[in-house]
Amino acid sequence: IEAPSGAGKTTAVREYLKEYIPQSVNEYWYTAIGETPARVWEYIYDAFYPFDSETAEALKYLGTPARETLGDIARLLKSCRCEAPTVLVIDNYQLIQSEIQREIISALSYNGSPNLHIVIITQELDLPAPGSTYNSRILTIGKDTLFFTAREAENYFRHIGLRISEEELKNVMVSTEGWIAALCLQVIHYRTTGNFDNAAKITLLVKTAIWDHLSD
């Protein structure tokens, strides 16, 4: 899941798992907070222990993913054993320092167990996808899915008690593109001033919706 900060990625995954996934499904989360790559991958590999300790040990032996070990990671994931339905979530993936972020995702996608689902949540990665080969093993959910359409934004406003005109809706969609973080800021601005802000940049919207209304 790859979209800007404030697009609702983590919230969407948590709510989906809580609402639609049976309690019998094992759920493991790792959230990166800027640790060293070695420590990051130690934590991630530890998550494999409950269902496949052999694969966990082999992955830990490989250490931090590198170009020369991508094939080994893919091979280990392909033979991974997972008897019970399991979801492994890696959040804040963009904070994991590496020059091969996309290649690592590709290697992890070789997971061969139908019971194991690996979900990676990340802000938009700066590194382009390697080559032009389509990887059918990866389902990508991007900002086009997470950002609101005009009708969804209208429903959101109505849900929180705001009735706006078509012209106001059109203007707010131009400035936010349906980005929920920006829509929330627009709501703050609207409730304070009675109108929406035309700022196209989130930093300006934060300024006009929040900072400008604080005392010294």
Side-chain angles (χ1 to χ4, degrees):
I1 302 178
E2 183 176 1
S5 175
K9 303 180 293 298
T10 300
T11 300
V13 172
R14 286 194 184 280
E15 291 300 317
Y16 178 84
L17 292 177
K18 182 171 67 177
E19 185 74 21
Y20 297 104
I21 302 300
Q23 291 185 351
S24 57
V25 174
N26 297 318
E27 187 180 324
Y28 303 100
W29 281 74
Y30 166 72
T31 301
I33 55 175
E35 308 96 318
T36 63
R39 195 64 172 152
V40 164
W41 290 102
E42 184 178 339
Y43 284 133
I44 293 173
Y45 296 153
D46 279 344
F48 284 80
Y49 272 106
F51 52 88
D52 190 344
S53 59
E54 289 185 13
T55 295
E57 287 289 350
L59 287 169
K60 292 188 83 168
Y61 177 79
L62 288 176
T64 304
R67 289 193 186 278
E68 57 268 24
T69 61
L70 289 173
D72 297 306
I73 293 172
R75 174 179 53 80
L76 290 170
L77 265 292
K78 197 170 185 179
S79 61
C80 180
R81 299 187 307 276
C82 187
E83 301 300 327
T86 300
V87 177
L88 169 59
V89 182
I90 302 173
D91 199 359
N92 279 350
Y93 182 78
Q94 78 281 352
L95 295 181
I96 301 176
Q97 302 168 27
S98 177
E99 294 181 353
I100 53 170
Q101 288 172 315
R102 293 195 185 277
E103 289 89 337
I104 293 171
I105 293 175
S106 184
L108 293 174
S109 76
Y110 278 86
N111 159 39
S113 173
N115 284 324
L116 176 61
H117 302 273
I118 300 175
V119 180
I120 295 175
I121 303 173
T122 182
Q123 292 181 23
E124 293 173 304
L125 300 175
D126 293 333
L127 301 174
S132 58
T133 304
Y134 173 72
N135 188 341
S136 62
R137 294 178 303 276
I138 299 175
L139 169 64
T140 300
I141 298 175
K143 68 179 184 180
D144 290 343
T145 303
L146 293 170
F147 279 26
F148 284 17
T149 64
R151 295 282 75 85
E152 288 168 339
E154 183 180 35
N155 289 337
Y156 164 63
F157 290 139
R158 185 180 295 113
H159 178 72
I160 60 174
L162 289 186
R163 300 279 179 172
I164 66 174
S165 68
E166 280 293 323
E167 186 64 24
E168 288 176 317
L169 179 62
K170 179 181 177 181
N171 290 338
V172 81
M173 288 302 295
V174 168
S175 67
T176 66
E177 298 180 345
W179 184 8
I180 185 60
L183 286 170
C184 289
L185 288 169
Q186 286 282 16
V187 168
I188 295 172
H189 191 278
Y190 186 89
R191 284 177 166 165
T192 304
T193 66
N195 57 68
F196 292 110
D197 192 290
N198 293 325
K201 291 186 177 181
I202 194 81
T203 50
L204 291 177
L205 193 50
V206 170
K207 179 179 182 298
T208 58
I210 299 175
W211 306 138
D212 286 353
H213 301 286
L214 297 180
S215 67
D216 288 339

